Amino acid sequence: MNTIRLDKARDPAFKRQVEKESGQNLSLCYQCGNCTAGCPGAQVYDRQVSQIMRAVQLGLKEEALKNRSLWLCLSCSTCSARCPNDIDVAAVMETLRMMARREGWVQDRPIESFWKAFLDTVKYTGRSYELGVMADYMARTLRGWGNLEIAPMALRKNKMPFVPSVIHGREEVARIFKRYAEKRS
Amino acid sequence: MKYAYYPGCSGHGTSVEYEASTRAVCNALNMDLVEIEDWNCCGSTPAHSVSHELSAALSARNLLQAAKTGADCVISPCPSCSSNLKMARWRMQNAEFKAKTDELLDAPTPANADGGADLMETYSVLQAIVENVGVDAIARRVTYPLEGLKVVTYYGCLLSRPAKVAQFDDPENPVSLDNVMKALGAEVLPFALKTECCGAAMGIPDVNIPGSLSGRILDTARAVGAEAVITACPLCHMNLDLRQRQAARISGKAFFGLPVFYYTQMIAYAFGLSREAMRLDKLAVNPYPLLDKIAARREARMAEALKTAGAAS
Amino acid sequence: MSVLAGKELRIVGFLCNWCSYGGADTAGTARAVQPTDLRIIRVPCSGRVNPLFVLKALMNGADGVLVSGCHPRDCHYSSGNFYARRRLELLKQFLPVIGIDPERFEYTWVSASEGQRWKDVVTNFTARIHALGPAPRWEDVPARYDMPVELLESLRPLGCGEHPALPELKQAIKDALAQGLEGVLGWKKGFDAIHAEPVFMTTPEEVDSLIWGPFNVQNLAVFLPQYKGRKIGVVVKGCDSKGVVELLSEGLISRDEVQIFGMGCNGTVNLSRILAKLPEGAAIESCACRGNKITVTAGGQTIEMTMAEVAQDKCRLCTKPNAVISDAFAGTPTTEPEAPQDGRLPGLRFLDSLSLEERMGFWKGQMERCIACHACRGACPMCVCRDHCVSDSRDPEWVTQEDTVQQKLFFQLIHAQHLAGRCTGCTECERACPMDIPVFALKQQFGRTIQKIFSYGAGLDVNATPPLLTYQVEETTIKERDLA
Amino acid sequence: MKIGVFVCHCGSNIEATVDTAAVARIALTYPDVVFAEDTMYTCSEPGQENIVQAIKKHGLDGVVVASCSPRMHEPTFRRTVERAGLNRYMFEMANIREHVSWIGRDREANTNKAAELVRLAVEKLRRDAPLYAKQFDVTKRVLVIGGGVAGIQAALDAADAGIGVVMVERESTIGGKMAKLDKTFPTIDCSSCVLAPKMVDVAQNPNITLYAHSEVESISGFVGNFTVKIRRRATYVDWDKCTGCGTCTEKCPTKNVPDAFNENISTCRAINIPFPQAIPKKATINPDYCRKIKEGKCGVCAKVCPTGAIVYDMADEIVEEKVGAVIAATGYDLMDWTVLKEYGGGTYPDVITSLQYERMMSASGPTAGHIHRPSDGMEPRNIVFIQCVGSRDCSIGRPYCSGFCCMYTAKQAIMTKDHLPDAEAYVFYMDIRAPGKMYDEFTRRAQEEYGVQYVRGRVSAIQPTVRPDGKVGYIVRGADTLLGKQVEVDADMVVLAVGVEGSHGAGHLAEILRISYDHFGFFMESHVKLRPVETNTAGVYLAGVCQGAKDIPASVAQGSAAAAKVMALFSKPKLENDPQISLVDIKRCVGCGKCIKVCPYQAIEEVDVRGAKKAHVIETVCQGCGLCTATCPQGAIQVAHFTDNQILAEVNALCQC
């Protein structure tokens, strides 16, 4: 591990940007660790929530954005519910995730691929379609095989129809995605 | 009250039993449901993880469709869907956010006096039942009480959180499901993991996450003596029921064998609604031995009551 | 003194020394940055804040005024803020009648420990005043001279004919004089047929000069305090009797020193309305009253008019035509009508129909006409300061002798404020005004607010405590105002 | 009139954002101002000397100092002008620090504002007149409210100085929270061994009148002359007859009464003496549980009482006492931690407060000092201590540090190791605050000598679970932020260091005393640093935690300090009033009596002046609130130095259009 030269590495503008986009005051965090303590994803995180909050406080952009934790976050809001300083930590995590995407620093392609697969289904049919998402996701990432373990049961119980439902307004929905894509580019 | 009904995508897939029982129970409780015509997916977690505006735009289309029904509000059985619809309306109260979201839509959303979007409010079906119908009305309607059935209620993350948007029940110790189950005659055990996350949709990319989280929930439920887990969320249900064997394996425990019911299935059962109103056949963990036990307890009690009555007369 | 051009507005704060001034100190000690507009005047207690200070500041160009004291129940002087709450709430609701936006004035409670709250109060109030912008200035507002002309429909039939019980009344007075009463105040015919004038009757002959009818306009209660210590009597209409009650309840006259003679009243006239129907400047030759018709001969012309045309406004909405208190009541009482839904007289009705700026313009126009004769004060039975009226004093010097609209209006505000909770609505101030300025509207604005908040009407109960001289710990009818 | 204006830099406190030299220059243009200058530290000795010299040199009749709040230094400068031969009331202050330089950053706006505030002070001073204080008698007795260690110390010190003390205690015994403690940090002294002798002294000191089981009902009057009404709540036992033998308690059949002294971890009888060393050691019946009082049946205690002391129909009694000063020492209560649902909200039997744990460890407590967890009596092996429960937690509106929890948690962890050498003690903390003498060493000892495991991080949740052996366990899930990991402990018992707040009912008492209190029920001192035991109400002093969280030594020190303040107050034969009081202008008064009606102090009386009714102010009773002045329509009664003309002059100075 390299020593971080704080006088050089700190980027106060980054902290301000996170505060602006998330609507949260990061200076309120006194590092009690309660977000980490309650996080259901903590065991698989490579950097704990409280550490990510600390990185933002210090203005250490890469530390805050380049980690898998952002992508493993389950958005359950336990961190926000228990923060003694009423910081919506989940909103900060979501903000950081969007910023990481903008920076092209996605640290967990598979999860991003799952989202893409999911949203593509919505884009084309207007609704999500579990089997389609799953197949698309597995094809894209060659992962997700663990789910095959439950597939027989799901299929036996007829819980995954083979035909997606398609809505009349699917073009309207597709236009939402199209405009979104245009705005981003 | 008239409700615009938003089933959510999983109602057509993994949670058909939730969808069927919800409709049957609402009907039994005289709730006037009109399905929103041509509704689309709310975008779920992937949409709001990618963009708040995209997520809000997808929800806004649904809320605009809902407005056409002339209903008083929107209800959805799925906590994730209702949370998304609620959040969209909440965020779009901000005029700036509304403007950005409107850019994604064919036509801008109507504005209210404060410059925010004038959209219909959304509630979970559970909230509508508890707050508008009331647990007393449920209790009155019960024909087959859940004799001594020991359950834990599992709410998941989104029913009462984030508190400022959900505006429902206690974020740390919710009790609405408990009250419904008590009204049905079940015994609700104290359960500290009511709002602990089950792992949500993370199972698709990594089965280990819901595996270990759900394993812990099921293990604690068993430890406190629960005979069944009651839930209100399709995703939670999938992780606890469909993935129950996987969860046991990943968390290194023996198979729990704990039936996991949607609360609506339990209401339908206690009301004596038809088999089609429950769709118990869709559950992965076999519920029938437990239901037989309930029936046996009920019969025993009735026999006892008859005996006492006979002795008295 | 100059307000920093464009940057600041003029905001004056009155802060009690013990709580809010301390709270402002606490905010300062915590370096809680606030807008710089506010200028704080330290007072011992919010109860020290005479509402007239607030009016003075607003009349003199303050853009906003803030009063802050200890929280209710936590007053350093135990009850000062309870009185302040009543007075300031009343003031806030009074302001619109003179065209001042009530949002420019606020009162709140901040304790010495609440630095953050003080910062929020200052920040929010300053933001509010900046949103309202600079207060309109009297010199910039266009004066208007239009007047209320509405003739209200009477609640009951008004009449002007001979009162059948007059002999009975005279006899009662004669009897009382015989029993040692020094004299009795009443009315006799004045310099012409339509004017009556007060008389202090001490002999049976003088009693015979007593008249009763539509021209007995003066409220004789006004003379009572000066007879203090002597046993006298007074003849009253219903409206006059309320003044007597109020004087009694304030201890300004004694019940055992005054005998009250009453008789049912059928209404009195507004002389200006009669004169307006006569040829300009014509001397009045005779007048005959029958039923509800008044026939006046003047300048060789005979002109007929009805009470409906010439009655005083207050008589039209009068619900107390009989003395509310009396020792001798002659004849049968006049039937008392139900209280009207809308008790506003034309002056207030007219003002209510105007915008805030128009109201300012209205008072500007009226005060330009005011000749500062103070006849309004002289006619008011509740103006008991007499020679010590603060408007004539230099210590305290509430008004200067400057002939400006603001100074003249401020005198009216003092009068109205001093009468808040005491005014019985006899409208003598307005009747006495030689310029026909509807000054009673100011008193009625206070009166209706007091009725609304405290369900209190002055002059009805000798044992009542006027609402501004008492308080409730919990004021259910006063909305808690919170700036923080 | 010749006025001098002194504009203070206050070092850089004012000068940094106010151009004081410019303010002084502007002040010279104000009417009657003949001298103005800016000075570095006006309150310093040379600064004051400078004022004295200027008064002499320029023949000044009055002085304005523009500096800090008059609540800070007005008395200082009044003495200064007096030294130069002026009347002390020919002085005014402009607050350009707290109200200007510290709250605004715009130097131009601040300078302008400061100059305007000086203008207000000048206008006020121009209308000031010399005032002279009057003397009045003082009742040399003090009321001490609260019989905890702070109140006890204050009472004993005052009594030792020969001052009569009236002590009012809400509970049936004095001793307060300290009496509940087993040991005290950092010496691990036995708490009751230190406190009990002092409690006995209170009982035996002839100068102290003790009202236990009593509350202050109302207080009227003012410094030197307060009248106190005390409600002696019914004890249903005639304490003059009760010998404290305890037979009644032994025989009482009602055994399910929650024992408040033991923090409700055990039960007691319906007639009870809280603990063996109670002062007074007298029995009290709890009417909510007593069968005789509730249902009319029983009467056992009356039968067994050897002195016939039981009085079932006893009623509350109001007694009146006259005192000259009041010391509030009402202490604290724990905040309601059950709002924390993630810790079980009070439903988990083995999650207890530190005060409950203290009772459990006490040899005179319900378990005779043995640590057994409440649910099943098991001797715990893993005990988790959680700090900052309800402290430093803005999400539940508790932003402050409760001050002494770090220390007692260390003490309790050490005691745990003493009692149960094989047990493990975990302390979840955020920061360790141990700034007292031998304090940090003490927390170090807990870790170094006793092996208490400290973990830096908050606890997110406590989740009960059933272990394979059927016993209940509590999964304490927290974070070790130093390690950057989520951690868990399967605990047998959890002790919460619950934050403190002002004693229940403190706000109500503050209103009776007319002192300020904050959102958390703590009373406000006159100056946070320099007048820590005084309040803004003359004659009312504070001691102990009622003023803010503090530990025993600090509470004792404050008790002594408050007593010293009372001694100083009573050292003078007579007290002087503040002459800024109301005065009636006989010529203008019409005798309407409105002022008499509103005066909160009955300080105005009706007098006969040559046959006319007039108002008259009793000078030593008037407190100068000015309510009468605002009430009098003629302006005939004016409160000195806040007259109508003075305030009007200030208004006119600000608003002239």
Side-chain angles (χ1 to χ4, degrees), chain C residues 271-285:
Chain C
L271 288 165
S272 299
R273 289 195 178 132
I274 295 183
L275 294 175
K277 294 188 182 292
L278 306 180
E280 182 125 14
I284 290 160
E285 288 148 27

Side-chain angles (χ1 to χ4, degrees), chain C residues 139-444:
Chain C
E139 43 270 51
D140 301 337
V141 173
R144 51 190 296 161
Y145 304 95
D146 47 348
M147 297 278 275
V149 288
E150 198 176 1
L151 271 188
L152 298 176
E153 183 130 350
S154 180
L155 294 175
R156 61 187 169 115
L158 299 177
C160 54
E162 184 92 343
H163 200 295
L166 184 57
E168 187 190 331
L169 177 65
K170 287 180 178 172
Q171 191 53 51
I173 296 170
K174 285 175 188 170
D175 292 349
L177 288 176
Q179 280 163 28
L181 209 58
E182 191 180 329
V184 177
L185 287 159
W187 302 269
K188 65 173 185 176
K189 186 169 168 298
F191 65 92
D192 68 20
I194 65 168
H195 285 87
E197 64 182 44
V199 57
F200 187 63
M201 304 172 282
T202 54
T203 64
E205 295 71 39
E206 282 170 326
V207 176
D208 285 330
S209 73
L210 177 71
I211 59 167
W212 182 273
F215 306 116
N216 291 6
V217 289
Q218 292 101 327
N219 182 350
L220 304 176
V222 73
F223 300 111
L224 291 177
Q226 71 197 55
Y227 286 97
K228 194 136 189 255
R230 294 157 68 180
K231 283 195 185 329
I232 60 152
V234 63
V235 186
V236 293
K237 308 187 290 291
C239 45
D240 308 337
S241 73
K242 294 206 278 179
V244 179
V245 168
E246 190 63 24
L247 289 169
L248 285 169
S249 84
E250 294 186 21
L252 295 159
I253 56 174
S254 307
R255 187 67 185 92
D256 54 4
E257 289 175 1
V258 60
Q259 274 198 43
I260 304 156
F261 298 90
M263 199 154 78
C265 174
N266 291 321
T268 52
V269 296
N270 178 332
L271 288 165
S272 299
R273 289 195 178 132
I274 295 183
L275 294 175
K277 294 188 182 292
L278 306 180
E280 182 125 14
I284 290 160
E285 288 148 27
S286 69
C287 171
C289 298
R290 178 170 300 161
N292 64 356
K293 284 200 178 62
I294 301 172
T295 312
V296 182
T297 309
Q301 292 183 39
T302 299
I303 292 143
E304 197 179 272
M305 52 198 87
T306 63
M307 283 296 278
E309 293 170 308
V310 298
Q312 288 207 74
D313 292 323
K314 69 165 174 185
C315 302
R316 296 163 190 266
L317 298 186
C318 173
T319 58
K320 296 273 182 246
N322 307 302
V324 297
I325 184 173
S326 63
D327 298 295
F329 191 89
T332 45
T334 304
T335 314
E336 298 192 351
E338 292 278 302
Q341 281 286 322
D342 181 354
R344 292 176 302 166
L345 295 188
L348 192 54
R349 294 167 75 93
F350 179 68
L351 278 158
D352 281 348
S353 73
L354 301 180
S355 70
L356 285 177
E357 195 187 274
E358 287 168 341
R359 291 178 205 175
M360 235 174 127
F362 173 81
W363 288 113
K364 183 178 178 181
Q366 297 305 317
M367 288 302 116
E368 283 176 4
R369 296 172 56 238
C370 170
I371 55 173
C373 69
H374 292 177
C376 44
R377 181 178 75 193
C380 175
M382 302 319 301
C383 264
V384 291
C385 309
R386 303 291 155 203
D387 303 338
H388 307 300
C389 176
V390 289
S391 70
D392 300 331
S393 128
R394 297 195 63 176
D395 188 8
E397 187 171 26
W398 283 97
V399 288
T400 66
Q401 301 310 309
E402 241 180 322
D403 182 33
T404 63
V405 164
Q406 288 104 304
Q407 295 294 336
K408 285 189 284 191
L409 181 56
F410 200 77
F411 167 74
Q412 292 300 335
L413 298 179
I414 292 174
H415 193 183
Q417 158 70 20
H418 283 179
L419 282 167
R422 305 171 62 231
C423 173
T424 60
C426 73
T427 72
E428 282 289 275
C429 47
E430 199 161 304
R431 183 194 60 79
C433 179
M435 306 306 292
D436 284 332
I437 299 173
V439 287
F440 176 68
L442 298 174
K443 287 111 192 171
Q444 197 172 23

Side-chain angles (χ1 to χ4, degrees), chain D residues 106-337:
Chain D
D106 179 336
R107 191 172 163 91
E108 187 199 2
N110 280 358
T111 302
N112 177 58
K113 182 175 175 182
E116 291 192 14
L117 294 186
V118 170
R119 172 81 193 260
L120 293 190
V122 167
E123 292 296 344
K124 188 159 179 254
L125 178 60
R126 293 175 70 205
R127 291 157 181 84
D128 276 344
L131 300 175
Y132 302 93
K134 288 273 186 306
Q135 293 195 324
F136 60 93
D137 289 327
V138 47
T139 309
K140 293 189 178 174
R141 300 181 80 211
V142 60
L143 169 71
V144 176
I145 308 172
V149 67
I152 288 173
Q153 185 68 36
L156 291 175
D157 284 1
D160 282 351
I163 294 169
V165 177
V166 178
M167 175 179 271
V168 175
E169 165 59 50
R170 180 159 62 183
E171 305 301 330
S172 65
T173 173
I174 59 170
K177 295 287 188 289
M178 187 176 170
K180 298 189 179 196
L181 305 183
D182 178 34
K183 299 283 191 303
T184 56
F185 59 80
T187 49
I188 321 216
D189 272 339
C190 160
S191 184
S192 58
C193 310
V194 200
L195 183 66
K198 280 182 176 286
M199 290 166 61
V200 174
D201 286 351
V202 168
Q204 293 179 347
N205 194 311
N207 283 341
I208 301 179
T209 309
L210 172 61
Y211 295 102
H213 207 61
S214 301
E215 285 177 73
V216 172
E217 183 88 356
S218 68
I219 293 182
S220 58
F222 47 91
V223 59
N225 294 284
F226 292 107
T227 302
V228 189
K229 287 209 169 93
I230 298 162
R231 175 178 293 274
R232 302 186 69 177
R233 296 198 340 262
T235 57
Y236 307 98
V237 177
D238 182 342
W239 279 7
D240 290 337
K241 291 184 184 161
C242 176
T243 59
C245 69
T247 313
C248 51
T249 305
E250 221 169 88
K251 301 291 184 205
C252 174
T254 307
K255 300 173 181 173
N256 62 339
V257 183
D259 188 345
F261 185 78
N262 283 325
E263 294 288 312
N264 300 333
I265 55 168
S266 64
T267 54
C268 60
R269 309 296 173 96
I271 185 164
N272 187 42
I273 298 173
F275 61 108
Q277 299 93 330
I279 296 286
K281 196 176 177 188
K282 307 284 179 186
T284 304
I285 293 180
N286 184 334
D288 296 338
Y289 290 88
C290 171
R291 292 181 198 176
K292 179 72 181 172
I293 292 173
K294 275 175 66 190
E295 296 152 17
K297 286 178 247 167
C298 186
V300 169
C301 49
K303 286 190 201 101
V304 301
C305 177
T307 61
I310 310 296
V311 188
Y312 291 116
D313 58 355
M314 188 184 269
D316 289 6
E317 183 193 350
I318 305 282
V319 293
E320 201 174 281
E321 290 278 3
K322 303 245 182 234
V323 298
V326 180
I327 296 173
T330 49
Y332 68 94
D333 275 304
L334 299 184
M335 61 85 67
D336 176 16
W337 72 273

Side-chain angles (χ1 to χ4, degrees), chain C residues 51-69:
Chain C
L52 290 168
F53 289 133
V54 178
L55 280 166
K56 191 78 186 175
L58 290 169
M59 289 289 295
N60 282 10
D63 301 305
V65 177
L66 176 67
V67 177
S68 186

Side-chain angles (χ1 to χ4, degrees), chain D residues 224-550:
Chain D
N225 294 284
F226 292 107
T227 302
V228 189
K229 287 209 169 93
I230 298 162
R231 175 178 293 274
R232 302 186 69 177
R233 296 198 340 262
T235 57
Y236 307 98
V237 177
D238 182 342
W239 279 7
D240 290 337
K241 291 184 184 161
C242 176
T243 59
C245 69
T247 313
C248 51
T249 305
E250 221 169 88
K251 301 291 184 205
C252 174
T254 307
K255 300 173 181 173
N256 62 339
V257 183
D259 188 345
F261 185 78
N262 283 325
E263 294 288 312
N264 300 333
I265 55 168
S266 64
T267 54
C268 60
R269 309 296 173 96
I271 185 164
N272 187 42
I273 298 173
F275 61 108
Q277 299 93 330
I279 296 286
K281 196 176 177 188
K282 307 284 179 186
T284 304
I285 293 180
N286 184 334
D288 296 338
Y289 290 88
C290 171
R291 292 181 198 176
K292 179 72 181 172
I293 292 173
K294 275 175 66 190
E295 296 152 17
K297 286 178 247 167
C298 186
V300 169
C301 49
K303 286 190 201 101
V304 301
C305 177
T307 61
I310 310 296
V311 188
Y312 291 116
D313 58 355
M314 188 184 269
D316 289 6
E317 183 193 350
I318 305 282
V319 293
E320 201 174 281
E321 290 278 3
K322 303 245 182 234
V323 298
V326 180
I327 296 173
T330 49
Y332 68 94
D333 275 304
L334 299 184
M335 61 85 67
D336 176 16
W337 72 273
T338 60
V339 298
L340 296 165
K341 300 282 185 272
E342 58 269 39
Y343 294 170
T347 61
Y348 306 156
D350 302 319
V351 177
I352 62 173
T353 69
S354 43
L355 218 43
Q356 289 174 323
Y357 193 55
E358 202 73 45
R359 290 314 299 152
M360 197 181 277
M361 288 192 299
S362 166
S364 65
T367 57
H370 297 295
I371 300 174
H372 297 297
R373 68 179 195 175
S375 65
D376 55 7
M378 167 192 173
E379 200 168 82
R381 278 197 54 84
N382 288 313
I383 301 183
V384 169
F385 295 86
I386 306 179
Q387 296 199 179
C388 298
V389 176
S391 292
R392 303 175 68 196
D393 188 343
C394 296
S395 70
I396 53 169
R398 298 280 155 174
Y400 57 90
C401 168
S402 292
F404 48 82
C405 321
C406 286
M407 293 307 299
Y408 72 63
T409 301
K411 175 195 75 182
Q412 293 188 336
I414 287 175
M415 296 302 301
T416 302
K417 287 291 214 175
D418 266 349
H419 281 71
L420 306 169
D422 293 335
E424 290 295 331
Y426 299 86
V427 176
F428 281 87
Y429 72 101
M430 294 201 291
D431 302 289
I432 296 176
R433 297 186 170 176
K437 191 172 176 180
M438 296 300 287
Y439 282 14
D440 197 59
E441 295 90 322
F442 185 71
T443 64
R444 291 305 316 159
R445 265 177 68 202
Q447 298 169 66
E448 293 163 6
E449 260 178 57
Y450 290 86
V452 176
Q453 188 56 61
Y454 272 69
V455 183
R456 194 206 171 276
R458 256 192 197 271
V459 167
S460 174
I462 302 170
Q463 296 169 345
T465 168
V466 180
R467 297 186 186 134
D469 62 2
K471 286 207 153 85
V472 175
Y474 298 89
I475 305 289
V476 177
R477 186 194 281 183
D480 186 325
T481 57
L482 303 178
L483 195 62
K485 293 273 188 210
Q486 196 176 60
V487 294
E488 287 183 348
V489 179
D490 184 355
D492 300 312
M493 196 162 122
V494 182
V495 179
L496 308 177
V498 179
V500 299
E501 63 186 19
S503 174
H504 300 152
H508 179 63
L509 181 65
E511 285 162 7
I512 290 176
L513 293 172
R514 292 165 207 158
I515 57 177
S516 292
Y517 61 105
D518 68 18
H519 197 58
F520 314 106
F522 293 120
F523 300 148
M524 184 155 170
E525 63 287 339
S526 192
H527 188 278
V528 67
K529 288 195 171 54
L530 302 178
R531 289 156 68 95
V533 298
E534 286 138 293
T535 68
N536 283 331
T537 298
V540 179
Y541 305 93
L542 306 176
V545 185
C546 68
Q547 175 260 345
K550 58 179 66 65

